[in-house]
Amino acid sequence: MAGERLLDVKDLEVSFYTYAGKVHAVRGVSFHVNRGETLAIVGESGCGKTVSVQSTIKLIPMPPGKIEGGTVLFDGKDLTAMSDRDLQSVRGAEIGVIFQDPMTSLNPTMTVGRQITEGLIKHQKLSAEKARQRAIEMLSLVEMPNPRERFRQYPHQFSGGMRQRVMIAIALSCNPKLLIADEPTTGLDVTIQAQILDLMKSLQTRMNTSIILITHDLGVVSKLADRIVVMYAGKVAEAGSSEDIFYDAQHPYTQALLKSVPRLHEEARRDLLAIPGTPPDLFVPPKGCAFAPRCGYAMRVCLDHQPGAFPAGDNHAVACWLMDPRAAHVRDGHAGRAEAAGARGGAS
Amino acid sequence: MLAALWIIVTATFFLMHSIPGDPFLGDKVTEAIRQNMLRKYGLDKPLWEQYVIYLGNLLRGDFGTSLKMLHRSVNDMIRDGFPVSALLGLEALAYAVTIGLVLGTLAGFRHNTWLDYLAMFVALIGISVPGFIMGGLMQYVIGLKLGWLPIARWEGFRYTIMPAAALGLGTLAVMARMMRTSVLEVTNQDYIKTAKAKGLSQREIVFRHILRNAILPIVTILGPLTAGIVTGSFVIELIFGIPGLGKYYVQSIFNRDYTLILGTTIFYAVLLVFLNFLVDVAYGIVDPRIRLMRSRE
Ligand SMILES: Nc1ncnc2c1ncn2[C@@H]1O[C@H](COP(=O)(O)OP(=O)(O)OP(=O)(O)O)[C@@H](O)[C@H]1O
Ligand code: SF4
Ligand SMILES: [Mg+2]
């Protein structure tokens, strides 16, 4: 059902040309977002989550960045082929973005109100007064106390959590079809994090927006995501429904991620914790599977050939040679996985 | 503020008297006449007594009379000379701010292009070549060889262009370099990405979001820069033969014209303090964070 798909990204390739050389940051990434759903993108720092998502509306700095391949279909339009002028009418109007750091994402010399009305005036052609009313409405919608007062104030008069609410108000002011939230709660304290996430969730149901949520926090993912994309070293390692990923993870990297989540939540940071080893250097992308040096199952084929995406059920795909029928016996040697691997071998 | 002024007056007074010689030593007068003149101006009295008398007059707003300039009062000389200096300084500042900011902005947005390199080359020259050398060079090339502008004196707008340019060049260069850095820095800020993500055009981003923030650090150095223009004007007025206060000031030191030295020093001190105050006010206007801090006090 292609009409269900709001955003469909195929084979995205992005590189950065730096003084030190070319960084192949995104290496053939495909993912999609259905209407009204929340897609979570997880993966270690530097694996290309932000770049993948920002490239869809060309928000990455170019140069040094360059989108070298792939297509991005959004609501039937091909964003990669669009002129910058046409993209301007998509950004902010149909796709809203919330960035990671609320302390630096707002212009310090402009009133918060003006920063909200700016987009409204541009995209919805509202008069200044109408835009003001709408902005105040948005501020109350994101549960900002005294919205009228707040409208006239500057960002430094707001706390981090309140600034993130302002960012949400800006991002949602034009009723976008898609909201990109790139680690929206990093750097906020735990109770505020929960409030912001609840707020996003409730606004999503109210406005029927789709959300791409980038986060390090698997706890958040389990609460909010309908589907999950796991990225590793500029590629998609595994993609599937929330259920697929949490209860039927097939990729060794996904499995390692899930194991690394500390059980004592709350006080411990629920970041993606130590998996031994480090991701590869994307100046020199590996020939085979990027996870091989850290993977307990690595086979000879893994070193020389990139694994393709193997289907592991409806909408569940895994980029790992273990999914190849010929490798069905490999996991048998590893305790605890024998049965699962056997069952899968039979199915595929 | 008053205490600072008192310290400046006192320090200048005693330093000035510690320079060997006196106002009349070089003149071709007999020793008897010289003693007479010293007595007339009270310079034969003990130093501390002169000091007390001077302070007394100062409190009444009287800077005394010049010892060398045909007995003109220092107050008159400031009244005549300052408008000329102020005009020169403002013109220099106007060149420096407009051209410096435009150059720096262009260099920032077109960085690593020939435009950027050209602008930064101009800035490098402006920073490394002192104003009086540049002034002399301009007099020679533009005034003498090309004959485009008058070489010296002060008789209309055409006469002001060269000295103002020479005086403003250093400041212009500093402004251009700072503005370039600042534009580059602001362009990479997260909130600029936010602005882009809102769907604003490059034009809207530049004029609404980048320029105002980029100008902030420039405003903070405007104080020292205007001070630089004030002090730079001393020499520029001298070499261009401009009848401004700066020229009197320099001459007064060579002449040991005690009252004129003191009067102009005090005047310049007050002027600089006042300029810094203006800069503070300007900064408050462009930066809401400062403005609010003030209104809370
Ligand atoms: N402006 C840039 N110049 C050069 N390289 C860049 C630039 N932006 C990103 N990269 C590179 O692209 C890769 C992917 O970065 P990206 O920001 O997408 O990671 P991420 O998954 O979002 O990580 P994090 O969780 O830390 O935000 C990194 O290796 C990074 O070095
Ligand atoms: S492809 Fe090979 S190295 Fe890569 S994750 Fe699968 S088993 Fe491990
Ligand atoms: Mg990121």
Side-chain angles (χ1 to χ4, degrees):
Chain A
M1 286 197 291
E4 280 297 296
R5 293 195 173 185
L6 176 65
L7 180 74
D8 200 351
V9 177
K10 284 228 151 49
D11 304 321
L12 190 65
E13 299 272 346
V14 186
S15 295
F16 290 92
Y17 289 84
T18 65
Y19 290 114
K22 171 180 153 174
V23 184
H24 199 169
V26 174
R27 307 183 296 145
V29 163
S30 303
F31 62 91
H32 69 272
V33 184
N34 294 326
R35 285 173 205 279
E37 80 169 355
T38 299
L39 173 76
I41 302 184
V42 298
E44 277 167 305
S45 188
C47 69
K49 306 180 293 290
T50 301
V51 173
S52 301
V53 166
Q54 291 193 352
S55 294
T56 60
I57 46 172
K58 298 187 184 163
L59 273 187
I60 55 165
M62 294 190 280
K66 189 158 185 267
I67 298 173
E68 299 186 305
T71 51
V72 177
L73 281 180
F74 174 74
D75 210 14
K77 292 167 290 201
D78 183 359
L79 299 189
T80 36
M82 262 191 196
S83 70
D84 199 60
R85 236 196 120 69
D86 290 336
L87 262 183
Q88 281 166 25
S89 61
V90 175
R91 295 186 194 125
E94 298 187 67
I95 301 181
V97 188
I98 308 171
F99 295 100
Q100 174 169 350
D101 188 355
M103 300 316 272
T104 57
S105 315
L106 291 168
N107 183 342
T109 59
M110 196 186 263
T111 60
V112 156
R114 181 125 188 262
Q115 297 190 53
I116 303 175
T117 56
E118 222 179 8
L120 289 166
I121 292 171
K122 168 131 191 180
H123 296 301
Q124 310 205 323
K125 311 274 177 281
L126 297 186
S127 66
E129 180 50 31
K130 280 263 163 51
R132 195 182 76 91
Q133 286 169 4
R134 171 88 181 129
I136 291 172
E137 239 171 69
M138 283 311 297
L139 284 175
S140 22
L141 202 63
V142 296
E143 291 155 22
M144 180 78 68
N146 304 325
R148 261 159 221 289
E149 284 267 300
R150 289 304 195 170
F151 181 87
R152 283 184 281 110
Q153 296 186 336
Y154 289 90
H156 67 274
Q157 293 164 284
F158 292 67
S159 68
M162 290 205 285
R163 289 188 208 193
Q164 202 58 304
R165 285 169 197 269
V166 173
M167 280 303 292
I168 296 175
I170 292 174
L172 293 180
S173 61
C174 298
N175 282 319
K177 300 187 177 107
L178 175 65
L179 175 68
I180 295 174
D182 192 345
E183 306 191 29
T185 57
T186 318
L188 301 177
D189 70 54
V190 182
T191 41
I192 310 287
Q193 282 187 14
Q195 289 172 13
I196 296 282
L197 291 168
D198 287 347
L199 176 68
M200 278 176 41
K201 193 77 202 161
S202 79
L203 291 177
Q204 175 182 36
T205 32
R206 237 158 111 172
M207 304 169 117
N208 193 34
T209 345
S210 303
I211 295 181
I212 297 180
L213 177 69
I214 297 178
T215 176
H216 281 204
D217 188 335
L218 286 176
V220 170
V221 173
S222 68
K223 271 191 231 120
L224 296 187
D226 299 306
R227 283 188 316 107
I228 300 171
V229 166
V230 180
M231 283 189 66
Y232 188 79
K235 280 177 165 289
V236 173
E238 182 163 6
S241 68
S242 201
E243 227 125 281
D244 292 337
I245 301 296
F246 279 104
Y247 300 107
D248 190 25
Q250 299 296 331
H251 197 288
Y253 176 62
T254 315
Q255 292 167 351
L257 271 188
L258 292 168
K259 269 200 226 119
S260 70
V261 178
R263 299 290 164 215
L264 301 166
H265 9 278
E266 299 325 336
E267 82 241 51
R269 290 191 57 209
R270 287 177 297 174
D271 285 353
L272 307 182
L273 283 184
I275 298 172
T278 50
D281 188 349
L282 292 179
F283 281 114
V284 201
K287 194 155 139 236
C289 171
F291 191 57
R294 301 165 82 183
C295 177
Y297 304 102
M299 301 165 280
R300 203 173 310 121
V301 62
C302 306
L303 298 176
D304 293 332
H305 300 277
Q306 307 262 353
F310 292 90
D314 285 349
N315 283 322
H316 184 186
V318 184
C320 172
W321 284 118
L322 289 176
M323 301 303 290
D324 191 292
R326 286 165 292 178
H329 64 282
V330 172
R331 278 198 248 215
D332 297 353
H334 294 264
R337 300 301 307 176
E339 268 179 38
R344 208 175 37 252
S348 55
Chain B
M1 165 71 214
L2 279 176
L5 264 183
W6 173 74
I7 290 170
I8 289 171
V9 172
T10 310
T12 315
F13 186 89
F14 289 103
L15 275 174
M16 170 179 90
H17 279 280
S18 72
I19 310 174
D22 66 57
F24 311 112
L25 204 56
D27 296 359
K28 295 189 183 74
V29 291
T30 62
E31 184 58 24
I33 295 179
R34 184 171 154 254
Q35 291 303 335
N36 254 335
M37 307 228 339
L38 286 178
R39 195 166 322 114
K40 175 171 181 245
Y41 290 108
L43 294 173
D44 56 341
K45 299 204 176 78
L47 206 51
W48 66 266
E49 202 179 326
Q50 293 182 37
Y51 173 70
V52 172
I53 293 172
Y54 186 80
L55 277 190
N57 289 339
L58 193 60
L59 287 179
R60 277 180 274 113
D62 180 7
F63 286 129
T65 47
S66 165
L67 305 180
K68 301 288 283 189
M69 301 279 189
L70 300 170
H71 317 299
R72 289 178 64 198
S73 87
V74 173
N75 295 51
D76 280 351
M77 294 177 74
I78 291 175
R79 201 172 307 130
D80 293 349
F82 179 63
V84 173
S85 297
L87 192 70
L88 177 68
L90 285 177
E91 196 176 325
L93 197 63
Y95 292 153
V97 171
T98 51
I99 302 175
L101 289 188
V102 169
L103 219 57
T105 305
L106 289 177
F109 283 120
R110 298 265 174 279
H111 81 118
N112 292 341
T113 64
W114 64 268
L115 195 94
D116 180 22
Y117 298 137
L118 182 73
M120 287 308 105
F121 180 69
V122 171
L124 194 68
I125 291 178
I127 286 176
S128 43
V129 180
F132 62 91
I133 291 185
M134 198 42 101
L137 216 64
M138 287 165 91
Q139 282 177 316
Y140 180 73
V141 178
I142 300 175
L144 203 65
K145 288 281 159 195
L146 299 172
W148 288 349
L149 290 168
I151 296 178
R153 296 212 306 280
W154 193 255
E155 288 157 18
F157 179 68
R158 277 167 51 79
Y159 289 79
T160 66
I161 298 174
M162 239 171 18
L167 179 56
L169 190 70
T171 308
L172 182 154
V174 176
M175 291 239 165
R177 285 173 65 120
M178 273 205 77
M179 190 62 183
R180 173 182 184 271
T181 318
S182 191
V183 162
L184 282 176
E185 198 182 301
V186 171
T187 306
N188 285 322
Q189 293 292 315
D190 289 350
Y191 57 82
I192 300 304
K193 197 172 246 190
T194 305
K196 191 172 177 194
K198 271 188 223 171
L200 300 185
S201 67
Q202 185 60 22
R203 223 188 128 78
E204 289 164 322
I205 294 174
V206 169
F207 285 98
R208 274 190 227 153
H209 293 269
I210 296 182
L211 286 184
R212 179 169 186 164
N213 286 292
I215 258 171
L216 288 184
I218 312 277
V219 180
T220 54
I221 57 156
L222 216 50
L225 285 182
T226 40
I229 285 191
V230 169
T231 49
S233 71
F234 303 160
V235 184
I236 294 289
E237 287 181 10
L238 206 63
I239 62 175
F240 281 91
I242 297 168
L245 195 55
K247 189 177 150 204
Y248 292 151
Y249 187 46
V250 177
Q251 285 175 348
S252 70
I253 295 170
F254 289 129
N255 291 339
R256 313 277 187 280
D257 192 339
Y258 294 146
T259 42
L260 191 54
I261 294 178
L262 275 171
T264 40
T265 303
I266 294 166
F267 181 78
Y268 276 123
V270 174
L271 178 68
L272 288 179
V273 170
F274 177 68
L275 287 178
N276 267 316
F277 168 74
L278 280 190
V279 167
D280 273 2
V281 172
Y283 196 62
I285 291 171
V286 282
D287 192 340
R289 285 162 293 194
I290 306 281
R291 195 189 316 154
L292 282 144
M293 249 161 58
R294 290 237 186 82
S295 66
R296 243 180 256 138
E297 275 165 14

